[in-house]
């Protein structure tokens, strides 16, 4: 069944053996159509390259690993779509793992991916992760790592991020300029850099506008910073501070939880309390009131991160020194109904 | 750097070499904790098993491939979460590919996964797929395939589905019993079985209740049956049939597009036109009016499909004859505001 040789496929298609071999190895200088033709013919002729044996020779698996901290939802599904599209375009397969915000699991998954000999790893860190030995080990073993979204400043590798502090600062400044005076913040948990930065942006905006920072107006969303977090904390907020006039939420999902609570309790948004989200998940245009938010380019983050990783894989292969880059993608405010003063 | 032997790790942890070796191979009879310990120690001691060489011996890659037709969003993200959790539990890695509803790409991706020597493949078919040679080839080559959601009745393999026809029949019957008389259907495109079955369920429910079936009340959502499809077809519908009193949509996303259009045009839901969705994506509880829909258990579908696939992989390995199963998961109506007659 596996007697078919490359030459058989080549002559069947009237192309060179090199082209056939390159196509089967997924080299990107071969057109998609040719590659599809070759693979189809190889399949028809029952040619079974032992890709495993091929790997031993080329020491490449044409596979990258992705570790995301949360379940595949909302923001991470956009990121994933960016990663999968770029990987497909560059001829890489993608192994996806979820650390479920657990440091031990994340560590284990990095080890598994290394054992699997992936060519590189894309990671967004779990909320628990505050030790980076496992990541540095991967890098030390010449497996490039690119961090995105939830990164660690201390790890020396390429990163694709947004400026969370600036984005949050802009959001809260916008609220202050709209005339909101008592602005609460529903923050993420204490470890992840983006949750820290968004909180710091909130605090700095208040201070720069001579509004006294009040810690009791900050609520921590420590489940998965999801819908329920927003809903439950909104309830607490209205008990503690029924004169609050705006909330800046760490994610759209949290913001939607807040709006849901307000709608259920007939608390008018934005007339009584304005709500500002973060990430511009498409549902923010569908709920009423439509949510004002920060546009966080999930697809672009995934796409750029994958692209940089695959470039670094090639550089390492060619023994070209890798220069790490910190890519900061721009964000901007999407103004909608949830913050409009009538 | 790779001089460490299994025995070194075993003695470092005071456990047997077999346990170490099993743990590193991800055998499921080793506890997660032990496996984590072993992998951590192996990593600390810089032990690098050549998993590739291991594969040549065991002829296993402990990897499964997943091909989904659409981008990772909504329903498929729930399915993916079910797959990833079961795979993690059973010690398998998951390679994810998107066929983007393209038959040629899906065919190529199956070939790539076979070339990659995955142990099994999970697939939901593209809307274009009406030839199943590529799937039958995989099965013929002893790589088990489990189809889920968008399946082909003609392929002889295990399948995890819901009864789309019955679910649609129940939805439309519910609308009729609520007193709605002119019920439109926003269907999916013509090829996929689930879109055909939902349409047939709609048609049969009308006929069984002596309501004449009117083809002009059926609108095809042929983009990705997404939000825009619902929005645009709602506009057409109100031009063609401004006396329509209910719409049964093929997905929640389409239904949400409809509601969005109605909200924008101040068309009252459900007072003027009721809307019924399909899949119970969590956003259907957040929009107003809250969406009545069919509960489609995405997570369970992914979880069960992965579980069956991994069982079949084991059976093939042990030369136990595989008996294919068609698992039909139950669905039910989730009644919310969008269909409530006042």
């Amino acid at each position: 069944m596996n007697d078919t040789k490359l030459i058989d496929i080549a002559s069947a298609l009237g192309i060179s053996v090199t082209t056939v071999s390159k196509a089967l190895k997924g080299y990107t200088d071969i057109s998609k159509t040719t590659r599809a033709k070759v693979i189809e013919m190889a399949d028809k002729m029952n040619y079974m390259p032992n890709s495993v044996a091929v790997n031993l020779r080329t020491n490449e698996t044409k596979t990258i690993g992705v570790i995301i901290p949360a379940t595949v939802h909302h923001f991470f599904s956009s990121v994933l779509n960016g990663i999968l599209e770029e990987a497909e375009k560059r001829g890489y397969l993608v192994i996806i793992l979820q650390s479920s915000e657990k440091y031990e699991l994340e560590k284990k998954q990095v080890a598994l991916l290394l054992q699997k000999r992936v060519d590189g790893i894309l990671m967004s860190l779990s909320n628990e992760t505050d030790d980076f030995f496992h990541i540095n080990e991967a890098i030390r073993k010449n497996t490039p790592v690119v961090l995105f979204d939830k990164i660690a400043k201390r790890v020396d590798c390429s990163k694709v991020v947004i400026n969370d502090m600036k984005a949050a600062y802009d959001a809260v400044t916008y609220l202050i300029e709209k005339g909101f005076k008592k602005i609460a913040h529903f923050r993420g948990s204490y470890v992840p850099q983006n949750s820290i930065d968004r909180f710091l942006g909130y605090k700095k905006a208040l201070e720069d506008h001579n509004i006294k920072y009040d810690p009791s107006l900050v609520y921590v969303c420590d489940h998965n910073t999801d819908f329920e977090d927003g809903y439950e904390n909104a309830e607490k907020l209205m008990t503690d501070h029924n004169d609050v006039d705006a909330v800046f939420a760490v994610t759209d999902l949290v913001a939607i939880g807040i709006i849901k609570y307000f709608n259920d309790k007939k608390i008018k948004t934005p007339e009584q309390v304005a709500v500002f989200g973060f990430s511009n998940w498409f549902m923010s245009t569908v709920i009423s009131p439509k949510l004002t938010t920060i546009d966080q380019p999930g697809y672009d983050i995934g796409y750029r991160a994958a692209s940089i990783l695959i470039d670094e894989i090639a550089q390492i292969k060619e023994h070209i020194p890798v220069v790490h880059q910190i890519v900061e993608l721009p964000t901007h405010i999407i103004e909608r109904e949830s913050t409009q003063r009538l």
Side-chain angles (χ1 to χ4, degrees), chain A:
Chain A
M1 173 168 144
N2 281 354
D3 304 337
T4 317
K5 303 262 169 303
L6 290 181
I7 180 77
D8 307 325
I9 301 164
S11 44
L13 293 167
I15 57 176
S16 78
V17 173
T18 326
T19 310
V20 172
S21 139
K22 278 183 161 187
L24 290 173
K25 288 187 192 136
Y27 281 35
T28 44
D29 58 338
I30 304 296
S31 77
K32 280 194 173 191
T33 5
T34 312
R35 201 154 113 229
K37 274 206 203 99
V38 170
I39 288 165
E40 189 178 344
M41 179 59 70
D43 195 52
K44 204 174 286 158
M45 298 174 83
N46 278 325
Y47 173 75
M48 239 324 149
N50 187 334
S51 77
V52 175
V54 171
N55 297 336
L56 284 175
R57 288 197 302 279
T58 66
N59 193 27
E60 272 193 308
T61 57
K62 281 283 174 186
T63 306
I64 61 176
V66 179
I67 302 177
I68 58 172
T71 54
V72 184
H73 264 143
H74 321 306
F75 172 67
F76 281 113
S77 61
S78 313
V79 172
L80 216 48
N81 288 323
I83 293 172
L84 289 172
E85 248 182 67
E86 177 67 358
E88 159 73 22
K89 215 169 70 207
R90 308 273 298 262
Y92 278 79
L93 289 174
V94 179
I95 291 175
I96 295 175
L97 294 161
Q98 291 175 347
S99 66
S100 309
E101 304 291 359
K102 294 195 177 43
Y103 166 66
E104 283 305 328
L105 188 52
E106 175 184 294
K107 218 162 80 174
K108 188 190 100 181
Q109 291 173 330
V110 170
L112 276 172
L113 289 172
L114 290 175
Q115 188 187 346
K116 208 70 191 164
R117 295 285 164 105
V118 295
D119 297 331
I121 300 175
L122 291 171
M123 283 178 81
S124 183
L125 302 177
S126 91
N127 286 344
E128 287 180 2
T129 304
D130 54 4
D131 153 334
F132 312 108
F133 181 78
H134 56 307
I135 306 172
N136 292 323
E137 270 302 281
I139 297 166
R140 204 176 60 63
K141 286 171 180 167
N142 260 323
T143 305
V145 174
V146 174
L147 296 178
F148 63 91
D149 188 50
K150 297 205 289 177
I151 64 151
K153 294 195 166 136
R154 283 189 281 142
V155 178
D156 177 24
C157 68
S158 291
K159 292 152 198 165
V160 179
V161 292
I162 59 171
N163 187 331
D164 287 284
M165 198 187 302
K166 180 182 175 305
Y169 184 92
D170 294 345
V172 176
T173 301
Y174 161 95
L175 287 169
I176 294 165
E177 286 168 353
K178 278 267 172 183
F180 297 100
K181 305 231 167 316
K182 190 161 183 180
I183 303 167
H185 177 40
F186 286 12
R187 62 164 295 164
S189 55
Y190 292 108
V191 176
Q193 194 63 53
N194 64 354
S195 137
I196 294 166
D197 288 347
R198 289 174 199 181
F199 164 71
L200 292 174
Y202 159 80
K203 194 154 172 287
K204 187 157 191 334
L206 294 179
E207 287 159 357
D208 288 359
H209 296 82
N210 310 310
I211 297 175
K212 194 174 175 314
Y213 163 66
D214 172 359
S216 77
L217 283 168
V218 175
Y219 292 77
V220 182
C221 301
D222 40 20
H223 302 129
N224 295 319
T225 58
D226 67 5
F227 183 73
E228 283 70 24
D229 277 311
Y231 196 95
E232 289 158 15
N233 281 318
E235 189 160 16
K236 290 198 204 104
L237 172 67
M238 296 317 284
T239 325
D240 306 346
H241 302 277
N242 58 12
D243 60 339
V244 66
D245 62 6
V247 187
F248 168 55
V250 66
T251 65
D252 280 357
L253 209 51
V254 168
I256 286 169
I258 299 169
I259 289 177
K260 178 69 160 45
Y261 176 79
F262 288 169
N263 288 342
D264 289 355
K265 300 297 173 195
K266 307 271 173 288
I267 295 167
K268 285 204 173 312
T269 309
E271 294 78 355
Q272 182 175 346
V273 189
V275 180
F276 200 121
F278 201 112
S279 78
N280 196 31
W281 174 40
F282 105 101
M283 278 313 305
S284 53
T285 65
V286 173
I287 51 160
S288 38
K290 301 193 188 75
L291 181 67
T292 296
T293 188
I294 294 288
D295 181 33
Q296 185 182 20
Y299 178 91
D300 296 346
I301 290 172
Y303 185 90
R304 288 296 297 277
S307 154
I308 291 169
L309 182 71
I310 295 171
D311 291 343
E312 291 187 355
I313 290 168
Q315 287 157 358
I316 289 171
K317 193 172 159 230
E318 311 296 338
H319 306 291
I320 301 164
V322 173
V323 182
H324 294 143
Q325 20 181 337
I326 311 296
V327 175
E328 188 179 288
L329 296 172
T331 60
H332 55 286
I333 293 173
I334 312 278
E335 185 177 39
R336 299 201 185 95
E337 298 161 353
S338 67
T339 57
Q340 304 280 1
R341 271 297 189 218
L342 303 178

